[in-house]
Amino acid sequence: MTRPKPTAMECSWKAVLLLVVASLAIQYTAIRTFIAKPFTICRVPKHTGCDPNPAAPCDPRPQPVTHILILATTRSGSSFIGQLLNQHADVFYLFEPLYHVQTTLINTSARSRQPSSPAADGRRLLLGAYRDLLRGLFDCRLHDLEAYIKPAPERHRTQRLFRRGASKALCSPPACAAPPPPPAASAGGEAQRAGTGTAAGEERWEEGECVRRCGALNLTLAAQACSRRHHVAIKTVRIPEIGDLRTLVEDPRLNLKVVQLVRDPRGILSSRIDTFPDSFRAWKIWRNSGRRPYNLDASHLATTCEDFLNSVGTGLARPGWLKGRYMLVRYEDLAREPERKTREIYRFLGVAMDGNVQRWIVNNTRGAGASGNHKYATVRDSAATAESWRFKLSYDMVELVQNLCNLTLAQLGYKLVNSPEELRNMSVSLAEDKSFLPFL
């Protein structure tokens, strides 16, 4: 008895099965062969040692990306601490990019004919825009700024980036193609270079000179400069509390570490009077005449102290979402021992402090006074500057601040003064010896 011949359907089914089995075998063999050999993966171009040029060699060593946010308030020493990060050769630093968000949204609201939204709604709108922009900038998407820069950039080029000259990365190739200035032969030129904290043979421009020489900023090239560095640092005085950053801190795409800088509110007030005379005219009249004006507005100071109280209270409570992400720094501690405190900050960030930072500290914390009249200058005797307000404010003014901010002063370890004599007695610091350890 003969077996029936297989039908075409049976042949087709068997052929498919054989092909599947063969394919699986081939894939399995290929995978085993592939993983048996050593290999490296180069992440190009973001935050690696790999050059975007495919012809260039790639450094395969993994380097962790650190996203750093300096959380501060106006006139608290944030420009100073920002420069401690800006000087690092592998840090891309931006000075107050949220300025553009605030000015654009506030101006748009002012031009609208619709009734103003409640304050709470306006605050939520601003904070949401702030967080969105920060998320993009930490990822080196500098083009995200274009929606807020006015007039709008053309072909990704702008002359209007706020304080562009405060960032070394934006004043260096590839963001700036201008040749460096020739070495100055005069004593004045030597002093200028020394004041900017540069090493021998390294040229450092003042902010205005950077803008003049570099011309319009190409945001595409700026993004490339960002991607070539392994750490991105941003300073802001526009986010009131650490709690407003929780969604960013918990974002798994970020390795965000927040350094909150605080200062004695009495020192903040004194600095604001000098820096913003139009907004603080009544306070200046009181300081100069000794008579308190009837229209004195202290709400800004009360708000600052309340923000400190809430934000620091959250940080010191050590919630789980801040573990390894939060460090509190008093400006007075940084000013008294700048090198030691800077090392503590870099240790918390997990970044090795380089020689550029050390040189900048030496050249910018032992000077006789501010470099020029610029309100953001950082060349000064930092220890003397920290409590110089004690000679500028009258005892009556200090007493008002102490009444408004007594809880904040106690929380941060600032001593109260009870007489004009105590106020002027510089042999006793008003910043208590108090340790604020990072939450690790």
Side-chain angles (χ1 to χ4, degrees):
M1 182 177 179
T2 61
R3 295 180 60 185
K5 294 182 179 181
T7 65
M9 180 69 71
E10 290 176 341
C11 290
S12 176
W13 179 82
K14 290 180 180 180
V16 170
L17 179 61
L18 287 173
L19 287 174
V20 169
V21 172
S23 176
L24 290 173
I26 292 171
Q27 291 181 58
Y28 175 75
T29 303
I31 291 172
R32 286 292 302 272
T33 303
F34 182 68
I35 63 176
K37 295 182 179 180
F39 66 98
T40 57
I41 298 176
C42 297
R43 296 156 52 214
V44 182
K46 178 159 176 42
H47 300 300
T48 69
C50 303
D51 194 302
N53 180 2
C58 169
D59 180 359
R61 294 171 297 179
Q63 299 193 31
V65 181
T66 308
H67 305 107
I68 307 160
L69 186 67
I70 302 170
L71 184 64
T73 189
T74 52
R75 311 312 301 164
S76 62
S78 59
S79 295
F80 178 73
I81 195 173
Q83 286 304 314
L84 294 174
L85 296 171
N86 183 41
Q87 302 307 314
H88 196 286
D90 207 16
V91 171
F92 181 85
Y93 174 68
L94 289 175
F95 181 103
E96 291 295 343
L98 301 186
Y99 163 85
H100 294 286
V101 179
Q102 184 184 53
T103 54
T104 298
L105 292 183
I106 289 177
N107 290 339
T108 300
S109 176
R111 288 194 301 268
S112 174
R113 295 185 180 181
Q114 299 297 325
S116 299
S117 61
D121 292 341
R123 183 180 186 275
R124 281 194 294 270
L125 173 65
L126 272 176
L127 288 174
Y130 289 159
R131 288 189 292 262
D132 289 345
L133 182 59
L134 286 173
R135 178 67 190 82
L137 295 178
F138 279 131
D139 202 34
C140 293
R141 298 200 307 268
L142 269 71
H143 293 115
D144 290 0
L145 276 166
E146 296 189 25
Y148 300 105
I149 297 176
K150 306 300 177 187
E154 296 183 5
R155 298 182 179 179
H156 308 303
R157 296 171 63 87
T158 180
Q159 294 271 16
R160 298 299 184 91
L161 184 70
F162 182 58
R163 298 290 306 280
R164 178 253 185 103
S167 170
K168 289 182 68 174
L170 297 182
C171 297
S172 310
C176 175
S186 65
E190 293 297 328
Q192 180 180 2
R193 288 201 302 279
T196 53
T198 56
E202 179 188 354
E203 298 298 338
R204 176 77 169 94
W205 303 341
E206 296 291 345
E207 283 196 34
E209 187 179 2
C210 164
V211 174
R212 287 191 299 272
R213 285 179 175 268
C214 296
L217 177 65
N218 186 319
L219 291 171
T220 301
L221 295 179
Q224 291 180 14
C226 177
S227 294
R228 291 180 181 182
R229 288 167 169 81
H230 292 87
H231 315 292
V232 181
I234 297 174
K235 181 195 80 115
T236 182
V237 297
R238 289 170 168 80
I239 295 179
E241 303 174 19
I242 184 67
D244 297 321
L245 295 168
R246 180 167 181 171
T247 55
L248 284 181
V249 172
E250 294 183 321
D251 191 328
R253 297 168 294 180
L254 295 178
N255 178 27
L256 182 60
K257 301 204 173 185
V258 181
V259 177
Q260 179 167 11
L261 179 68
V262 296
R263 185 183 183 183
D264 190 321
R266 297 164 294 190
I268 290 176
L269 171 63
S270 179
S271 184
R272 287 178 179 175
I273 293 173
D274 289 332
T275 308
F276 310 114
D278 292 338
S279 301
F280 289 81
R281 182 174 286 109
W283 287 91
K284 192 168 187 177
I285 292 172
W286 187 7
R287 188 180 67 179
N288 294 341
S289 68
R291 295 188 299 271
R292 176 176 174 173
Y294 72 91
N295 61 340
L296 188 78
D297 180 11
S299 61
H300 67 93
L301 197 58
T303 298
T304 296
C305 290
E306 183 180 357
D307 289 342
F308 276 175
L309 193 65
N310 293 335
S311 189
V312 173
T314 299
L316 297 183
R318 301 197 164 196
W321 60 274
L322 274 182
K323 184 175 176 60
R325 306 291 183 182
Y326 179 79
M327 180 179 186
L328 178 66
V329 176
R330 291 191 308 186
Y331 171 65
E332 291 79 9
D333 297 331
L334 184 62
R336 284 187 301 198
E337 297 184 275
E339 185 168 355
R340 182 184 69 82
K341 204 65 186 177
T342 301
R343 289 188 181 280
E344 288 181 11
I345 293 170
Y346 270 90
R347 193 177 304 120
F348 161 71
L349 297 175
V351 180
M353 196 171 92
D354 67 9
N356 294 331
V357 179
Q358 293 174 311
R359 284 189 294 269
W360 191 91
I361 291 172
V362 171
N363 290 325
N364 288 267
T365 60
R366 302 175 187 176
S371 174
N373 295 318
H374 198 282
K375 63 184 179 181
Y376 298 110
T378 54
V379 181
R380 64 194 68 186
D381 180 343
S382 60
T385 300
E387 293 195 71
S388 62
W389 59 267
R390 296 171 67 176
F391 289 110
K392 297 180 179 180
L393 299 182
S394 68
Y395 175 70
D396 289 342
M397 299 174 76
V398 169
E399 192 173 37
L400 173 62
V401 179
Q402 293 180 167
N403 290 334
L404 285 173
C405 302
N406 61 326
L407 293 178
T408 303
L409 292 167
Q411 179 193 52
L412 298 176
Y414 296 120
K415 301 175 185 177
L416 303 181
V417 294
N418 299 302
S419 68
E421 291 73 27
E422 286 186 18
L423 175 62
R424 308 296 186 211
N425 183 7
M426 298 298 291
S427 65
V428 178
S429 173
L430 297 183
E432 299 174 355
D433 290 332
K434 192 169 184 178
S435 297
F436 295 98
L437 300 177
F439 180 25
L440 300 176

